[in-house]
Amino acid sequence: MYIKQLNVFTENRHGKLEEVYSILAKNEINVISTTIADVSEYGLVRMVVSDPMKAKEVLVENEYSASLTDVLAVKLPNVVGSLQTMIQVLTFSGVSISYLYTMATGETSASMVVKVSEPDRALEALEENGYKVFSPEEAYAITA
């Protein structure tokens, strides 16, 4: 079960990041999780949002380069070593992790957004080892 991650390329210039989030807010799109990588003149903003298709559409309408990528949102117990164990499961199954970032989901649990080389194999390995992943409906509805 995959979710859609919104990817936005933006100039690394004063006010551009605020503008991206302002466009989303004005269109009633909730940002659930985000991470930003910058390379001198440009930045890549990766986000899980409440309505990825609409978010991409409104950003493109505002002349931003935006795309969607399939990722997994893996539920983790809030215990020491749970992230390492998840990474170990994926590594031992032959799946490469491109990147991951946190998606906070509650006081007693946390989740990770994970981009992997082989999503089907990763999903199978995670499920075989007792991990749960968010459905799109669950992930896009997270509010706090």
Side-chain angles (χ1 to χ4, degrees):
M1 212 170 320
Y2 316 114
I3 65 170
K4 296 290 183 187
Q5 172 188 270
L6 176 66
N7 309 298
V8 184
F9 293 95
T10 184
E11 292 176 87
N12 195 357
R13 191 167 50 96
H14 182 77
K16 295 304 279 184
L17 187 59
E18 189 280 330
E19 185 176 286
V20 168
Y21 291 103
S22 177
I23 291 166
L24 296 175
K26 287 177 186 173
N27 285 276
E28 298 188 15
I29 297 166
N30 186 35
V31 177
I32 296 156
S33 186
T34 190
T35 186
I36 301 168
D38 71 334
V39 185
S40 65
E41 295 182 21
Y42 287 91
L44 171 60
V45 183
R46 295 179 173 124
M47 294 180 258
V48 175
V49 297
S50 59
D51 189 339
M53 299 299 278
K54 181 179 177 183
K56 177 185 172 192
E57 181 182 308
V58 298
L59 287 167
V60 168
E61 286 172 3
N62 283 274
E63 300 182 7
Y64 280 91
S65 176
S67 64
L68 298 174
T69 301
D70 288 336
V71 293
L72 299 172
V74 183
K75 299 176 184 182
L76 296 177
N78 191 11
V79 297
V80 173
S82 62
L83 176 59
Q84 182 273 329
T85 303
M86 181 202 71
I87 291 170
Q88 184 177 52
V89 165
L90 294 173
T91 301
F92 289 168
S93 70
V95 174
S96 295
I97 298 171
S98 300
Y99 56 83
L100 54 84
Y101 57 96
T102 306
M103 183 168 84
T105 53
E107 290 182 25
T108 60
S109 65
S111 299
M112 297 300 290
V113 175
V114 185
K115 172 72 171 133
V116 293
S117 61
E118 299 177 61
D120 291 335
R121 182 187 279 182
L123 188 57
E124 182 180 327
L126 289 167
E127 289 176 345
E128 285 176 358
N129 285 274
Y131 286 90
K132 307 285 187 216
V133 296
F134 283 91
S135 68
E137 296 78 19
E138 291 173 314
Y140 305 151
I142 295 170
T143 57

